[in-house]
Amino acid sequence: MTQELTPTRTAQREWWRDAVIYQVYVRSFADSNGDGIGDLRGIRDRLPHVAALGADAVWLTPFYASPQADGGYDVADYRVVDPLFGSLDDAAELISTAHELSLRVIVDVVPNHTSDQHAWFRAALAEDTERDGGPARERYHFRPGRGIDGELPPNDWESVFGGPAWTRPPVSHHHPSKEGPSGPSDSDGDWYLHLFAPQQPDLNWNNPEVHEEFDSILRFWLGLGVDGFRIDVAHGMVKAEGLPDIGSREQAKMIGSQVLPFFDQDGVHDIHRGWRRLLDSYAGERIGVAEAWAPSPERLALYVRPDELHQAFNFQFLNCPWDATVMHAVIDASLAATASVGAPTTWVLSNHDVVRHLTRYGAGDDALGLRRARAAALLMLALPGSAYLYQGEELGLPEVTVLPDDVRQDPSFFRSNGQDGLRDGCRVPMPWSGGEPPYGFGPAGSWLPQPDTWKSLTVEAQTGDPLSTLELYRSALALRRELPGLGDGEMQWQESPEGLLTFTRPGFACTLNTTDHEAELPTPGRLLIASAAPVFSDDTVALSADSCAWWAI
Ligand code: GLC
Ligand code: CA
């Protein structure tokens, strides 16, 4: 029994429909100057690794001027490179080096909120609304509090990082008569909204000035040669009229399963349509990819309608447990939803916000986790559509679960019970070479300590070892480029025993064994690559436990 699942191949194969895009977490990729923090020059020097891996593009996390209250997702100036990471010249050089290596460059844009140090927010705090009428505050969401003296937040919304989504800043009084010299006094004024940390005030996208400013920011980076944008919190910019209460204290758990008055509001699609028109006005197929947490594959697909963004991360796949039945269902639902709007599915297993998939799948056993992670990579790269890799997954890096509290920087750690939990453990700097930390990350040290056990996981140690995870990724990506049946296109499920998944694509088959024992099958074809070697006898093959294999048929 076979099922038709995927969209018919479009006549024109746009690059992004099957691109493999490698996420660089800027702070943790490579440090050029010895301050222990990754930077743009460091990245530029290490781009040959990404090119040799076989990726089509890199996505760089934010490197803009920022007080770094949330790893740079708190932007103080969208047109300035933070000196921590380099200069605008370094960014331009990075982009041109990438292009020489045939790598496209995608940068992050953070439109839902600015830093509290952004000139706009500083002006908002300094504004005397009685005197000035409040135009600076109109760019954000300022509201009077509830309660007798406004001492309670304006509504019951919770920050994704935990705690209330509102902060009541100290009021600065300009009238010297009131408080002596102008300066902060008690908090007795309006509250402002921040869906993330208090240092990340939410912008008011009902204000045309905000639209104009972001159009101009996009143009600035497009002018510098970037090939697209990863749009941070692409589901968050529009808030429901009147900012209504939710009436529940478990909001973090509702994200991704329900439409909330602050997430996935229909109005966000108009913003994305505007940006698509802007992107299309530039040559070279510049793209937008949505970081959108939508409650269903169908609602996620709305972000990739033909006149909206090109890609949206498939977090349903990322969150999928190691279970063939669930995986089958998630793959079907994802493909069906994106097919309904003619878009590719964009697969992803890890990023800078989640526990690395090796550790998620291993549940305490890294050897098991590695077997499954290797298999999952082959599964993902065989599915129709585009795929994102997170730096270090090609090395089989596990989550670092033993970081001492005093080195942690993630605001969601300090505000606790947030959606994302502890995010520093997936941000530990890359091990490149050598036998001890910082393993070639830079001339001295690294902002988060690397485990002693990583010496066998460096790029240097794995290069040339056919059994290494790095060589598995390199070979898989090379095959993916070579084989016409992979990338964008169709797939058909084939019947297979419980705990196994088999699907075919033109000239190609993929077998996945999610069970903890060998599984015997009729040999599907000629073995191309496997995450763990299968054992052949006559007409059958025994697939190793927790493994994936690709076959030419
Ligand atoms: C996105 C980013 C995350 C950040 C948050 C707020 O989810 O991926 O790292 O904390 O947005 O900007
Ligand atoms: Ca540095």
Side-chain angles (χ1 to χ4, degrees), residues 400-553:
V400 178
T401 52
V402 295
L403 290 172
D405 287 355
D406 62 350
V407 304
R408 289 186 181 276
Q409 307 225 356
D410 180 8
S412 73
F413 172 70
F414 297 103
R415 287 172 69 84
S416 79
N417 74 43
Q419 169 206 6
D420 294 319
L422 314 178
R423 299 181 300 176
D424 289 312
C426 63
R427 300 176 178 180
V428 172
M430 282 277 283
W432 293 94
S433 60
E436 57 197 49
Y439 302 113
F441 169 66
S446 65
W447 68 281
L448 287 172
Q450 299 154 303
D452 292 333
T453 48
W454 279 14
K455 67 167 178 289
S456 59
L457 296 178
T458 64
V459 173
E460 181 184 58
Q462 296 194 41
T463 295
D465 172 358
L467 297 178
S468 73
T469 301
L470 177 57
E471 294 298 349
L472 179 79
Y473 270 76
R474 286 177 175 161
S475 306
L477 290 173
L479 281 168
R480 192 182 146 103
R481 281 180 178 228
E482 239 166 66
L483 299 172
L486 291 186
D488 197 18
E490 300 172 13
M491 65 170 268
Q492 284 86 30
W493 293 111
Q494 308 295 336
E495 204 152 13
S496 50
E498 201 178 326
L500 271 67
L501 293 178
T502 303
F503 59 88
T504 52
R505 309 195 57 184
F508 175 89
C510 178
T511 53
L512 176 74
N513 177 8
T514 65
T515 72
D516 60 3
H517 50 266
E518 281 191 348
E520 195 122 315
L521 285 183
T523 306
R526 179 170 58 84
L527 182 68
L528 292 166
I529 190 172
S531 66
V535 180
F536 294 93
S537 53
D538 298 338
D539 296 344
T540 63
V541 59
L543 304 174
S544 306
D546 297 304
S547 75
C548 186
W550 290 3
W551 309 87
I553 57 170

Side-chain angles (χ1 to χ4, degrees), residues 295-338:
S296 66
E298 291 72 28
R299 284 203 65 92
L300 184 65
L302 300 178
Y303 290 82
V304 289
R305 283 177 285 190
D307 60 345
E308 294 199 35
L309 302 172
H310 300 74
Q311 302 181 322
F313 296 110
N314 181 351
F315 294 126
Q316 243 105 12
F317 181 69
L318 182 151
N319 282 324
C320 194
W322 188 252
D323 177 313
T325 311
V326 184
M327 283 174 159
H328 187 136
V330 166
I331 292 168
D332 274 358
S334 312
L335 290 172
T338 48

Side-chain angles (χ1 to χ4, degrees), residues 31-39 84:
D31 169 26
S32 71
N33 63 354
D35 64 359
I37 296 175
D39 47 53
L84 200 56

Side-chain angles (χ1 to χ4, degrees), residues 94-125:
L94 196 170
I95 293 166
S96 69
T97 303
H99 287 167
E100 280 161 26
L101 292 166
S102 299
L103 291 168
R104 289 185 160 88
V105 179
I106 292 172
V107 296
D108 234 297
V109 63
V110 188
N112 180 68
H113 43 263
T114 68
S115 160
D116 62 346
Q117 298 306 310
H118 190 283
W120 275 7
F121 194 72
R122 293 163 73 113
L125 285 191

